[in-house]
Amino acid sequence: MVEAGHTEPLQCNIAHMKRYLTSAAVFITLISAVTATSALGQQTDPDVAAVVADVEQARLFAHIEEMAEPRSALEDEIDQLDATADYVQSQLEGYGLEVVLQDVEFEDDELGAIVSPNVIGVKAGSECADRIFVVGGHYDSVPESPGADDDASGTAGMLEIARVLADVDLPASVYFTGFTLEELGLIGSRKMAGDFAAADAEVVGMFSLEMIGYTDEASGSEFILVLGNEASAPLLEAVEQAKSYVPDLPIVTLAAAGNGESSPDTRRSDHAPFWDAGYQALLVTDTANFRNPNYHEPSDTIETLDMPFATSVTKAMLATTMLYLTRDEDGDGAADVCTAPLLATATPAPAATPIPAAPTVVPAATQASGVTLPETGTGDDTREIALLAAAVVLGVLAVAVIVIPRRGT
């Protein structure tokens, strides 16, 4: 996950305040989410459950073990970055998927021109192949960190979902994507989202698996956060339905206002460029530096990860993918993602940062030269603190609404 900007010394106190309020808000939300879910008594589809059961923890471990080496774009690590891209490509090809390498260009003042690929395994849809769903994780790390959690864990989850779904019939196309250069400012995902926007591609949604392997039992931080924005409701609804397939995994779903402009921490991964391009997108995270003390450190190793937890998260998002892509609420026999009007998450923000031209991943589509997407903003800390405080109050009220009426029943 890309780092948040900080200004010392005032920002330090603000950051602590935001951390405490965020923890309280998430805790309250977790209580209400768990209570509400238990009240609903969701049912499972045996076909989906059978596919979810194919996820293997040993494979996730093997992927992370293979990738967990410092792999940034720095000169002394770029060979490892390239080797990791080759590994992701070989795995996707081994699953029988067509692999597209989308070159991403970045000009650094010190390093000069950097070219690294987004690695994309394409699974064609059986009903509406022109409609696209993206499952992503970034395969780069920060310098001098093995990046086991950030983000070998997420990329491993993407690979395991790709393996299990490779032979499963799905209506829309799925692009299983290893994003590059996330740690330099979401460069790879900006490129993909920019290409899609330039080509008017019919993207029905995406999620970014961003650090899915760390828990802290001592503090009770054993939940996974799935964050959308307000108009990513259909995707968040699929996550809610997926909870029944991993009943022992606490899943907290939240929606940021707009495109997260008032809360910059909600925009720190590869989902954000998709929000900005007007697509539904989710961030799936163990909350990074808000929980994991090894964030962006040499100590981010595989030994620090909770592999059963990472396996459950992978199962949950596999179930989400199947449920979302096969949903037929109107009962017309066709998947809703094939027939429903495309739902943009929000009005795209004003253009700001140019996306360099590179081969498009959309068949027969135009290049993305000249496409622009906004930089991640700094936001207003005072407003964010107020919003977080309000979230705590609203969370308490939500628990009261759910729990209090049940007394005496």
Side-chain angles (χ1 to χ4, degrees), residues 19 64 147-154 210-225 249-250 284-297 299-313:
R19 178 174 298 205
I64 298 172
D149 195 25
D150 188 10
D151 185 34
S153 66
E210 176 62 79
M211 304 178 65
I212 64 168
Y214 189 85
T215 59
D216 183 356
E217 184 176 358
S219 67
S221 296
E222 297 179 276
F223 63 90
I224 192 73
L225 173 64
L249 176 68
V284 183
T285 182
D286 60 22
T287 70
N289 54 295
F290 291 101
R291 177 190 307 179
N292 191 342
N294 307 300
Y295 170 77
H296 286 188
E297 296 291 339
S299 55
D300 184 6
T301 62
I302 194 169
E303 292 78 15
T304 66
L305 301 187
D306 182 337
M307 291 308 303
F309 176 79
T311 303
S312 293
V313 174

Side-chain angles (χ1 to χ4, degrees), residues 54 83 157 232 255 330 335:
D54 286 341
S232 292
D330 56 13

